Amino acid sequence: MKQPARGRGAGRGGRPAVLSPERIVAAAVEILDAEGLDALTMRHLGTRLGVAAMSLYRHVPNRDALLSAVVGHLFAETVVDPVPAVPWTEALTGFGAAYRRTLLAHPHAVPLLATHPVDVDTGLTLLAGLLDRFAASGVARPDALTAIQSVGVYVLGHALAQVGTPPGTDAPAPVADPAVTAFYDEWFDSGLRAMVSGFERRLAE
């Protein structure tokens, strides 16, 4: 008796691959890290997951939605832990340093985050702990958001300069030289401290 053909997307034993938004985004990040932004297509993602590309659209409506989900996923890596009860200046400095670590760990994602802002609702949810530190010191929410967004833009710009992948390119970042890395580290720390100190003086007024 002729056996039925295994359909596309079937896993071992003929069972279809199980998809979820989380699994799709995780695979997308893997492609982004290994091959760059241009390689992150729905077809390539489907191949990596062992399913037809059309199967992905049940979970993400289009590539733009996929990129937005990837941005949210990577940003969440930055603020995965609750902000401890520290002064807002320390919490903001910690956020900037953590955001930079995330970007340098995913250099191909830097242009993506620079050109695809985090969804507002997602960002506010993830930054709730940091915003609480400002509120605890009596800083108005609009002023807190200005400070946080300014630090975020600084971190992105500095990461773009360091990884050497401007928007629209997928060229691999150059091999890090210890002296160059130390230079960028000192430059970043000095700039971040100056920015936070500036906001501290301004908000104290």
Side-chain angles (χ1 to χ4, degrees):
M1 179 176 178
K2 185 177 179 181
Q3 295 295 322
R6 182 188 298 182
R8 291 192 67 182
R12 293 180 178 179
R15 290 177 296 179
V18 177
L19 290 179
S20 68
E22 294 77 15
R23 184 166 179 241
I24 291 171
V25 171
V29 172
E30 291 174 358
I31 292 174
L32 181 62
D33 286 344
E35 304 176 53
L37 184 57
D38 286 346
L40 183 51
T41 65
M42 300 299 276
R43 182 182 297 274
H44 189 19
L45 181 57
T47 298
R48 188 178 190 89
L49 289 167
V51 301
M54 292 303 296
S55 300
L56 302 175
Y57 293 104
R58 299 172 186 167
H59 303 274
V60 285
N62 50 52
R63 186 171 184 267
D64 283 341
L66 173 66
L67 295 181
S68 295
V70 168
V71 166
H73 174 86
L74 293 175
F75 191 71
E77 288 187 10
T78 299
V79 288
V80 66
D81 296 322
V83 176
V86 297
W88 70 260
T89 51
E90 185 176 335
L92 183 59
T93 301
F95 161 73
Y99 193 19
R100 180 177 182 243
R101 286 194 298 272
T102 297
L103 294 176
L104 295 185
H106 303 278
H108 282 309
V110 177
L112 174 62
L113 273 82
T115 55
H116 289 69
V118 178
D119 174 77
V120 173
D121 290 337
T122 299
L124 290 176
T125 298
L126 293 171
L127 293 171
L130 179 55
L131 286 167
D132 285 346
R133 302 321 310 149
F134 283 87
S137 297
V139 177
R141 188 179 181 87
D143 290 333
L145 289 172
T146 296
I148 294 170
Q149 290 172 328
S150 297
V151 167
V153 170
Y154 167 70
V155 174
L156 275 167
H158 199 278
L160 274 172
Q162 183 170 358
V163 302
T165 53
T169 69
D170 283 326
V175 177
D177 178 273
V180 173
T181 299
F183 167 77
Y184 275 104
D185 288 347
E186 183 176 354
W187 178 15
F188 175 80
D189 291 341
S190 297
L192 181 60
R193 286 196 301 270
M195 178 173 282
V196 173
S197 295
F199 275 111
E200 184 179 22
R201 289 192 297 272
R202 176 179 174 276
L203 294 177
E205 297 172 356

